[in-house]
Amino acid sequence: MKPFNPLTRRQFIATGAAIASSLAMPGVAFASTSTSTLIQKAIPKSGEDLPVIGMGTSRTFEGSNDPQLINTLKQVTQAFFDLGGGMIDSSPMYGSAQQFLGQILPQIKNKNSLFAATKVWTNGRQSGIEQMEQSRQLWGIERFDLMQIHNLVDWETHLQTLQQMKAEGGIRYIGITTSHGRYHDDLQSILRKHKFDFLQLSYNIADREVEQSLLSIAQDKGIAVIANRPYQRGSLFRKVKGMTLPDFAQEFDCSSWGQFFLKFVVSHPAVNCAIPATSKVHHMQDNMQAGRGRLPDARQRQQMIRYFESL
Ligand SMILES: NC(=O)c1ccc[n+]([C@@H]2O[C@H](COP(=O)([O-])OP(=O)(O)OC[C@H]3O[C@@H](n4cnc5c(N)ncnc54)[C@H](OP(=O)(O)O)[C@@H]3O)[C@@H](O)[C@H]2O)c1
């Protein structure tokens, strides 16, 4: 983990916005000056730093082309970049998400830190190539930073294409994804035999199945990990509804349940970033605050699990 210190001008401005927004958000207090540090982790294959909180787009960026919805998502995306965001994750599987991103991104300021990640989700070489090109045009970007094979679909075919694209500079990193416990055995053997830069999987305080398997393989092989479903699709909040945070959460600059859940995920040594999805500006502000200040250590992580499981 590489804390950003001293702050660049952009981060200094983002920090000010974070303080202002956390004071404006009900139930969220700004704990101490140590929360001003933006946490980044290095991608093992390149050493490039990536902020630990990214943004997912499944369901939140799906809908009809309603100007009010687009305007809200624009504000969510602007808050993401203003508060130091980097990775945005999408997929052709997510309905209108890539189209909405393409409409919104040109209107966003301070987006130099964008780390554009999408997926290929189809069968066949040519169909994969065409789908990736269509995604690029929808986003309106020159190239993707990361292209992931979605849920292992036709992975052998796409891996060859992606290796060629990477060699030619068409993408920067190659990844593969899974979610909610599917294909873990297959994925383990694929990762042992083939080279990937990124692995995306489901990991959160209630679903820790990957700790003993995929996360240790990723660490051994120097593969960056993206944690999807960090809130178990929002169901973690239902479990803690109406409950106050334990006092020990202050020890790692955590002032909301959202920060508690995200800090748990990104403090695992194998995890590079979490990609919570939200359709609300105040939730984005909350999520981005989780990428600042101290993270729980190994002892505190065990304490978090015990506390959560006792509820
Ligand atoms: N196989 C794959 O490749 C795969 C599979 C699953 C997911 N993913 C990726 O991972 C991303 C995240 O997963 P997910 O969208 O399934 O679920 P998630 O991020 O675990 O949960 C999203 C839910 O949490 C709520 N939420 C967000 N921030 C909150 C906050 N601070 N306080 C309270 N509620 C909050 C959102 O509601 P509001 O809108 O009200 O904030 C939304 O209902 C996806 O969007 C997608 O990009 C990839």
Side-chain angles (χ1 to χ4, degrees):
M1 184 178 51
K2 292 189 183 172
F4 229 80
N5 223 351
L7 297 180
T8 62
R9 185 176 172 277
R10 189 173 72 79
Q11 288 160 336
F12 182 74
I13 292 165
T15 301
I19 294 168
S21 62
S22 66
L23 290 174
M25 192 169 63
V28 177
F30 199 76
S32 76
T33 49
S34 59
T35 54
S36 63
T37 309
L38 179 69
I39 309 163
Q40 307 206 96
K41 287 192 183 183
I43 298 167
K45 292 270 162 58
S46 66
E48 179 183 355
D49 278 335
L50 199 58
V52 293
I53 306 297
M55 175 173 84
T57 56
S58 160
R59 295 191 324 283
T60 48
F61 274 64
E62 293 180 54
S64 62
N65 207 340
D66 163 22
Q68 216 176 330
L69 172 65
I70 301 286
N71 190 45
T72 304
L73 294 175
K74 184 182 144 191
Q75 289 175 37
V76 167
T77 308
Q78 188 63 66
F80 175 66
F81 285 108
D82 286 348
L83 298 171
M87 178 181 290
I88 297 182
D89 175 78
S90 197
S91 169
M93 190 204 254
Y94 306 156
S96 58
Q98 301 197 105
Q99 181 200 321
F100 285 3
L101 283 169
Q103 282 173 250
I104 289 165
L105 283 173
Q107 303 175 55
I108 300 294
K109 299 181 200 100
N110 314 320
K111 56 174 184 288
N112 288 346
S113 54
L114 171 65
F115 187 99
T118 196
K119 307 181 190 110
V120 54
W121 178 63
T122 184
N123 284 297
R125 180 176 177 277
Q126 192 54 31
S127 172
I129 292 169
E130 285 167 16
Q131 186 181 65
M132 290 186 271
E133 175 54 17
Q134 192 191 16
S135 294
R136 193 189 66 76
Q137 288 178 16
L138 283 170
W139 282 60
I141 54 175
E142 215 165 290
R143 67 170 175 177
F144 285 104
D145 295 289
L146 168 63
M147 184 61 73
Q148 305 156 99
I149 299 168
H150 200 149
N151 289 350
L152 278 62
V153 174
D154 204 1
W155 68 270
E156 282 170 294
T157 306
H158 299 316
L159 182 56
Q160 283 183 15
T161 311
L162 295 181
Q163 283 165 342
Q164 193 180 340
M165 283 170 76
K166 185 178 167 184
E168 291 167 355
I171 53 171
R172 298 173 61 222
Y173 298 102
I174 299 174
I176 188 161
T177 81
T178 182
S179 58
H180 54 285
R182 289 177 301 189
Y183 324 116
H184 282 184
D185 292 345
D186 291 348
L187 203 42
Q188 284 180 51
S189 58
I190 292 170
L191 294 175
R192 285 201 181 93
K193 286 189 211 125
H194 301 274
K195 273 194 184 162
F196 284 90
D197 305 309
F198 275 83
L199 165 65
Q200 185 183 142
L201 41 72
S202 297
Y203 179 57
N204 60 61
I205 197 164
D207 176 4
R208 307 188 304 277
E209 191 192 322
V210 291
E211 281 180 350
Q212 304 311 320
S213 52
L214 289 169
L215 289 185
S216 37
I217 294 175
Q219 256 180 312
D220 287 352
K221 300 212 125 225
I223 303 170
V225 173
I226 303 168
N228 64 41
R229 302 211 161 146
Y231 293 141
Q232 191 81 313
R233 271 189 139 187
S235 71
L236 298 186
F237 292 105
R238 292 193 275 284
K239 179 157 172 166
V240 297
K241 199 163 188 246
M243 295 184 192
T244 50
L245 279 173
D247 287 346
F248 69 81
Q250 291 171 25
E251 293 168 19
F252 41 91
D253 302 317
C254 169
S255 54
S256 73
W257 281 111
Q259 293 166 36
F260 188 90
F261 296 138
L262 292 181
K263 285 200 174 213
F264 177 81
V265 171
V266 302
S267 60
H268 189 290
V271 174
N272 275 72
C273 76
I275 46 168
T278 182
S279 55
K280 300 188 175 75
V281 173
H282 69 281
H283 284 171
M284 175 57 78
Q285 291 164 341
D286 187 24
N287 296 346
M288 295 312 290
Q289 193 62 27
R292 291 181 180 274
R294 293 166 289 185
L295 288 179
D297 61 21
R299 179 191 62 78
Q300 289 164 327
R301 285 172 52 80
Q302 291 309 313
Q303 200 177 5
M304 293 168 93
I305 294 171
R306 281 197 303 276
Y307 188 83
F308 181 76
E309 290 184 344
S310 74
L311 296 175

